Amino acid sequence: MNAIQPSRPPLQPIEKRRVTPRPKRHLRQRSYQIMALETTAKIAVNLAISGAAISALVQLLPYHWSQQEKLREIKTEVKQMEGRVNTLQAEFSRNFDPHQTKAIMQQQGYRFDPSQRQVVFMNQDPKESAQPDVSP
């Protein structure tokens, strides 16, 4: 069984199919044309998108610049208001400080502490005090 058996010729001969040559040249040209058309369409679409983006930027840049200017103005106003708020907070804390109530009462009103003496300065001209009054 392990012996080599002679090869048998096929009983029916295999028919060869007729191969008709296709025009490969025409198909290649057509595929190049399709690729060129597709590439041209892609470039056109990209140019249209780029044009829309550039026009949007041209319209948005002046708006952006004006917003930046407004932001600078607001920042300067905020700095001014912060200074004013700080002074008002200092004054507020001074007004409600229990250790300074007497000093504030004396500043804002004409009341004095009963233990203090009121000193009143009278303006006198030195000429009047030096010369006696002479009446005719």
Side-chain angles (χ1 to χ4, degrees):
M1 294 220 188
N2 288 340
I4 298 176
Q5 297 177 357
S7 63
R8 294 183 189 169
L11 298 176
Q12 297 176 352
I14 299 175
E15 295 180 17
K16 291 185 179 179
R17 292 185 181 177
R18 289 185 182 176
V19 178
T20 56
R22 291 185 181 173
K24 293 181 181 179
R25 201 183 214 178
H26 183 63
L27 288 176
R28 284 184 188 166
Q29 275 185 340
R30 196 163 197 200
S31 67
Y32 289 145
Q33 287 175 350
I34 290 173
M35 284 178 27
L37 183 63
E38 182 180 340
T39 305
T40 305
K42 285 181 182 179
I43 290 173
V45 168
N46 285 334
L47 286 176
I49 292 172
S50 298
I54 289 171
S55 69
L57 281 176
V58 166
Q59 290 177 358
L60 286 177
L61 280 177
Y63 176 75
H64 174 71
W65 293 331
S66 68
Q67 293 300 316
Q68 290 295 322
E69 185 63 31
K70 287 180 184 178
L71 184 63
R72 280 188 220 107
E73 290 174 9
I74 290 172
K75 282 183 180 179
T76 55
E77 288 179 11
V78 165
K79 285 182 182 177
Q80 290 174 350
M81 288 298 130
E82 282 178 349
R84 186 170 179 222
V85 165
N86 289 338
T87 56
L88 289 174
Q89 279 181 339
E91 184 180 334
F92 180 80
S93 63
R94 182 181 171 270
N95 285 342
F96 287 96
D97 186 12
H99 299 291
Q100 297 185 8
T101 53
K102 287 184 181 180
I104 293 170
M105 283 174 50
Q106 287 177 0
Q107 280 180 349
Q108 294 180 356
Y110 294 106
R111 296 185 180 181
F112 295 98
D113 191 16
S115 63
Q116 285 186 342
R117 291 197 173 201
Q118 187 174 2
V119 178
V120 178
F121 292 104
M122 302 290 285
N123 285 341
Q124 290 182 353
D125 290 336
K127 293 179 184 177
E128 290 179 10
S129 61
Q131 294 179 356
D133 239 357
V134 180
S135 328

